[in-house]
Amino acid sequence: MLEFVGYEPLPPVVTYGPARMSEAEREAGLAAVRGAFAGIGVTAGRL
């Protein structure tokens, strides 16, 4: 539906059970989130 109005939705970033993860696993999950958000606005065209 968002594509219909010109938006390009981000792919989902899902982390299951972060409270039960090791420190290294949590850091990897946070890195995935940072990577997903790092490209916002960079590839999109400006109005």
Side-chain angles (χ1 to χ4, degrees):
M1 180 166 169
L2 293 173
E3 292 92 354
F4 179 73
V5 293
Y7 288 99
E8 186 177 330
L10 297 172
V13 178
V14 180
T15 303
Y16 293 103
R20 295 186 176 105
M21 292 180 168
S22 69
E23 186 66 27
E25 291 171 324
R26 280 193 297 274
E27 286 295 327
L30 288 171
V33 172
R34 283 188 208 101
F37 281 90
I40 294 177
V42 176
T43 57
R46 303 276 178 190
L47 294 177

